[in-house]
Amino acid sequence: MAKIKLNHQVALDKKHTRMTKPSLQVILTPAIAHLYDMKGSCVVVVDILRATTSMCFALHNGAKSIIPVQEVEEAEVYRLKGFAVAAERNGIQLEGFAFGNSPFSFTPAHVKGKEIVFTTTNGTKCIQKAKDERAEKILLGSFLNLDALIEELSNAQWPLFIFCAGWKEKFNLEDTLFAGALVASLRDYYTIEDDSSEAAEDIYKIAKDNLEQYVQKASHSKRFDRLGIVGDAPFCVKLNLTRVIPELVGDRLIVKKT
Ligand code: 3SL
């Protein structure tokens, strides 16, 4: 009798474990973010070209923290207070600010020990959106910290949203590609039932053997070409240069403590 009960219990536990796996969903663009309930979830904001890559790299290179702001006017207030500010719109560094958004700008010599304020066309808006929606945890993803992030997220505690920044509300390839890389590695830990995740993983499967070549297709890579921005896109698909995971704590992104 006791044995039957035990087996039954094990079966129930297994089922329970399966049923309580949190969900993973990919938000393909900010334009549809209102369709998802981020409250109490973990949100990974993704802007591969280039905001979340540059922020990861700045923290990796010793920046003390990053203060993401949505509007140029807010960034200007910080600039007047003496902060180092990165300000980009349409791929171009705004005049009068210390940095644009190229990862190559955020070297140890330029960022070590500093608090860097960032405003970018799409990425910083999505960080703010996740905060406004009261996500429990907000992390930044990039190919630079892919494995560290997968390790962190495999300890699935909350529903997970991979929030692609896109370009001015539209879908983009590079963020979806990265979302697909996460989906491919996190399947065992989450319940995945949305078509966005499936599509993202399909894109990743097509691209994974040559990310650099695939990302050349992206409209933003073509924009870089037109703007004479050389080398940024290939750098932004480099894998696992860092273990740093930026996490929003209050108003600042800091290195997540593990
Ligand atoms: O959209 C953004 O937030 C930026 O990453 C765009 S850019 O790569 O700096 O052009």
Side-chain angles (χ1 to χ4, degrees), residues 47 49-52 88 90-92 101-102 120-124 165-167 220 224 229:
D47 186 346
L49 300 176
R50 298 166 286 179
T52 56
E88 165 278 328
N90 299 313
I92 298 166
N101 193 20
S102 172
T120 70
T121 308
N122 306 287
T124 51
W167 181 258
H220 205 40
F224 285 165
I229 296 170

Side-chain angles (χ1 to χ4, degrees), residues 58-180:
L59 287 174
H60 169 76
N61 282 333
K64 186 177 165 199
S65 69
I66 288 168
I67 306 171
V69 299
Q70 224 177 300
E71 305 300 336
V72 176
E73 292 69 26
E74 296 171 73
E76 175 64 6
V77 171
Y78 278 106
R79 190 184 72 81
L80 293 172
K81 286 182 185 163
F83 281 80
V85 179
E88 165 278 328
R89 285 297 180 271
N90 299 313
I92 298 166
Q93 176 173 344
L94 298 184
E95 220 181 303
F97 292 95
F99 303 104
N101 193 20
S102 172
F104 298 124
S105 309
F106 303 100
T107 58
H110 288 113
V111 304
K112 209 170 179 61
K114 290 188 185 164
E115 295 199 287
I116 317 272
V117 176
F118 258 83
T119 184
T120 70
T121 308
N122 306 287
T124 51
K125 285 194 179 123
C126 294
I127 296 169
Q128 186 60 47
K129 174 78 178 160
K131 193 178 172 207
D132 291 346
E133 296 298 318
R134 293 193 281 154
E136 178 71 29
K137 201 169 246 319
I138 301 171
L139 307 175
L140 300 192
S142 74
F143 285 105
L144 270 49
N145 69 351
L146 177 64
D147 279 357
L149 193 59
I150 287 167
E151 240 172 73
E152 172 67 26
L153 296 172
S154 61
N155 179 22
Q157 293 181 48
W158 299 281
L160 174 62
F161 291 103
I162 305 166
F163 187 9
C164 299
W167 181 258
K168 297 188 177 177
E169 308 293 311
K170 292 183 180 165
F171 171 93
N172 78 19
L173 278 180
E174 64 276 16
D175 298 342
T176 312
L177 171 65
F178 179 78

Side-chain angles (χ1 to χ4, degrees), residues 6-258:
L6 183 66
N7 285 342
H8 180 61
Q9 191 60 49
V10 170
L12 271 182
D13 284 349
K14 272 191 186 160
K15 197 174 170 205
H16 183 70
T17 307
R18 216 177 306 126
M19 283 173 68
T20 55
K21 274 186 194 175
S23 61
L24 183 164
Q25 295 180 80
V26 174
I27 305 175
L28 290 171
T29 90
I32 55 169
H34 64 279
L35 301 175
Y36 300 87
D37 182 7
M38 297 185 207
K39 191 176 169 201
S41 68
C42 173
V43 176
V44 176
V45 178
V46 179
D47 186 346
I48 296 302
L49 300 176
R50 298 166 286 179
T52 56
T53 303
S54 292
M55 291 177 191
C56 281
F57 199 49
L59 287 174
H60 169 76
N61 282 333
K64 186 177 165 199
S65 69
I66 288 168
I67 306 171
V69 299
Q70 224 177 300
E71 305 300 336
V72 176
E73 292 69 26
E74 296 171 73
E76 175 64 6
V77 171
Y78 278 106
R79 190 184 72 81
L80 293 172
K81 286 182 185 163
F83 281 80
V85 179
E88 165 278 328
R89 285 297 180 271
N90 299 313
I92 298 166
Q93 176 173 344
L94 298 184
E95 220 181 303
F97 292 95
F99 303 104
N101 193 20
S102 172
F104 298 124
S105 309
F106 303 100
T107 58
H110 288 113
V111 304
K112 209 170 179 61
K114 290 188 185 164
E115 295 199 287
I116 317 272
V117 176
F118 258 83
T119 184
T120 70
T121 308
N122 306 287
T124 51
K125 285 194 179 123
C126 294
I127 296 169
Q128 186 60 47
K129 174 78 178 160
K131 193 178 172 207
D132 291 346
E133 296 298 318
R134 293 193 281 154
E136 178 71 29
K137 201 169 246 319
I138 301 171
L139 307 175
L140 300 192
S142 74
F143 285 105
L144 270 49
N145 69 351
L146 177 64
D147 279 357
L149 193 59
I150 287 167
E151 240 172 73
E152 172 67 26
L153 296 172
S154 61
N155 179 22
Q157 293 181 48
W158 299 281
L160 174 62
F161 291 103
I162 305 166
F163 187 9
C164 299
W167 181 258
K168 297 188 177 177
E169 308 293 311
K170 292 183 180 165
F171 171 93
N172 78 19
L173 278 180
E174 64 276 16
D175 298 342
T176 312
L177 171 65
F178 179 78
L182 290 181
V183 170
S185 291
L186 293 172
R187 274 199 179 280
D188 288 347
Y189 306 96
Y190 291 87
T191 303
I192 300 177
E193 290 179 348
D194 70 325
D195 289 0
S196 310
S197 298
E198 298 298 341
E201 189 179 2
D202 284 352
I203 287 179
Y204 175 66
K205 280 181 187 159
I206 291 169
K208 70 180 167 50
D209 294 332
N210 197 339
L211 294 175
E212 199 175 314
Q213 188 183 55
Y214 189 82
V215 91
Q216 283 174 9
K217 281 188 183 184
S219 57
H220 205 40
S221 291
K222 291 170 190 152
R223 189 171 294 108
F224 285 165
D225 291 344
R226 289 195 296 277
L227 293 171
I229 296 170
V230 178
D232 286 31
F235 180 80
C236 291
V237 294
K238 291 223 174 301
L239 292 168
N240 302 317
L241 290 190
T242 181
R243 301 281 308 166
V244 160
I245 302 173
E247 175 175 19
L248 192 71
V249 176
D251 292 334
R252 285 165 164 75
L253 290 154
I254 56 170
V255 175
K256 185 177 183 330
K257 292 185 182 63
T258 46

